Amino acid sequence: MNNKEKDYEKIPLVLDTPVPFYEVGVSCGLPKQVGVIPPEMALMPCQLASPTVFMTYAKGDSMEGVHIHNGDMLFMDNASRYYNHDVVLARVDGEELLKTYYVDEEDRHWLLPSNSDYDAILLTEDTDVQFCGRMIWHVDSPRETTRNLREAIERYLSKHSMDTETSHVPSYEQVVEALICIAPMVTAGRRWLGACRVLMDCKFINEGRYDKFCELVGSILPKHDHLPKTSELQRMAIMCFSKPFCKWKDETAPVHRSHFIAYHEVGEAMLEKLP
C-alpha cells in the first residue's frame, strides 16, 4: 500500500463510485482479459476508484493471518507492476488464488499464504501464472490487513522451510504404480480423497486441483468401478480433510469412526506405496 493509500485511512471514505464486481473462481475480474460484461457493479470511495480497479471477495482461510476471511470484500487494482509484500490475486494453472507476493533473499519469487496449514507456491519459469490485481483496500478490515502483513510473513517463514531442494516429488511412473496398488481398497469414488490429498502434499498435483486428480485416475484406471468425481472430492474437502494428510484427525473430520478410517486408510496406503 503506497503513502497516498495510507492517507485514506485518516479520512472518512464514502462509497460513492461504481466499479466492476467479480467473483473469484468465476473470472479474474479483468474485463479486457475475460471479454465479458461484469455481472454487477459495486460502490467504492472515489479516492480509490480508477479504470483499472475492480471488486471481488475472498474465498477460503489461507489468508486469515492478515485478517482476510472467507467472504470478505476486497478492492483490487489491475496494476502494471507488483511489489514485494503486495497482497495479490493471481491465476496459477487456471485457478485464481489470493496470496502475498514475496521475493526472498535469493531472488526467488513466491506466493505465500498467511495460514501455516497451506503451502507456499514457488514461481518458476515453468509456472503458468498471471497476476490479475493487487489489493488496495480491504473493506471489512482496512487497517488490520496491512498492519499485520509483515508479521504474518515472518510467522509463516518461521514455520516453513523454503528450501525447495529437500522436497521430493514422485515421478509419474511411481504415482501410476501406487494408484494401481491401492485401487482395490477404494469402494466409493469419494474415498479417493486420501490419495488425492497425499499427491497434493507432495506437490505432484497443485493444491485444490481435484479435477486433475480425477483426470489422472480416470486415465490410469478407466474401468474402475468407483472412479472419483471432482464434485464429490470438493464436497468432502472440508474441515481437516482440506488440510495436509498429516493433520487429518477423526475429531476434526467431516466424517467419523469407521467412515473416517475408510478415507484415512486410502491415504495411508498411498503414502506407503510412494517412495
Side-chain angles (χ1 to χ4, degrees):
M1 181 175 284
N2 58 38
N3 291 332
K4 184 178 180 181
E5 289 163 359
K6 288 181 180 178
D7 289 341
Y8 294 150
E9 295 184 358
K10 303 175 184 179
I11 60 176
L13 296 178
V14 179
L15 302 177
D16 56 4
T17 305
V19 296
F21 172 78
Y22 291 90
E23 293 186 10
V24 175
V26 175
S27 76
C28 245
L30 305 180
K32 67 180 182 181
Q33 289 177 307
V34 297
V36 297
I37 299 174
E40 59 183 284
M41 304 293 283
L43 294 176
M44 75 175 300
C46 61
Q47 296 98 323
L48 295 177
S50 78
T52 60
V53 168
F54 62 96
M55 185 176 180
T56 187
Y57 65 85
K59 283 189 176 181
D61 60 354
S62 69
M63 294 296 286
E64 63 181 12
V66 289
H67 298 272
I68 298 178
H69 302 284
N70 187 57
D72 283 0
M73 294 297 175
L74 310 173
F75 287 108
M76 314 293 295
D77 182 18
N78 178 18
S80 58
R81 298 183 64 183
Y82 294 86
Y83 301 94
N84 201 9
H85 299 172
D86 276 349
V87 175
V88 300
L89 177 62
R91 180 186 286 137
V92 181
D93 293 329
E95 180 183 9
E96 284 83 13
L97 303 171
L98 188 72
K99 296 288 185 284
T100 300
Y101 176 53
Y102 176 71
V103 182
D104 65 19
E105 295 178 354
E106 299 178 28
D107 200 35
R108 296 180 300 182
H109 297 240
W110 301 82
L111 293 177
L112 297 183
S114 67
N115 181 336
S116 60
D117 288 339
Y118 293 84
D119 294 324
I121 299 173
L122 175 63
L123 303 179
T124 68
E125 293 180 355
D126 297 326
T127 306
D128 180 11
V129 60
Q130 180 181 25
F131 280 44
C132 304
R134 57 185 287 268
M135 189 187 75
I136 59 173
W137 195 38
H138 180 189
V139 176
D140 299 273
S141 184
R143 294 171 177 81
E144 291 301 316
T145 294
T146 52
R147 182 179 300 164
N148 289 276
L149 187 55
R150 289 181 182 272
E151 292 181 4
I153 292 174
E154 291 175 2
R155 285 197 303 271
Y156 184 87
L157 296 179
S158 69
K159 294 181 179 180
H160 290 74
S161 170
M162 306 299 279
D163 183 6
T164 58
E165 298 298 324
T166 60
S167 61
H168 172 70
V169 180
S171 68
Y172 176 78
E173 291 75 17
Q174 291 168 335
V175 171
V176 168
E177 183 178 351
L179 289 172
I180 291 174
C181 287
I182 70 170
M185 67 186 302
V186 179
T187 58
R190 58 188 178 277
R191 289 180 180 169
W192 282 103
L193 183 60
C196 178
R197 183 66 254 181
V198 168
L199 291 182
M200 288 180 185
D201 293 345
C202 67
K203 307 296 189 298
F204 184 82
I205 292 178
N206 287 337
E207 183 70 32
R209 295 310 303 268
Y210 301 100
D211 57 327
K212 294 296 184 182
F213 176 79
C214 293
E215 291 175 6
L216 176 67
V217 176
S219 65
I220 297 169
L221 302 162
K223 296 184 179 180
H224 194 279
D225 292 334
H226 305 286
L227 290 174
K229 296 180 180 178
T230 302
S231 59
E232 289 187 343
L233 297 189
Q234 289 177 329
R235 179 170 57 84
M236 292 305 302
I238 58 175
M239 303 173 71
C240 75
F241 277 8
S242 67
K243 299 178 180 180
F245 185 71
C246 63
K247 296 181 180 292
W248 282 23
K249 296 181 180 179
D250 191 317
E251 59 268 25
T252 57
V255 293
H256 305 288
R257 295 179 289 278
S258 62
H259 298 291
F260 171 80
I261 293 173
Y263 283 87
H264 198 267
E265 284 181 341
V266 174
E268 282 186 324
M270 192 69 186
L271 276 175
E272 182 181 338
K273 298 300 179 182
L274 289 176

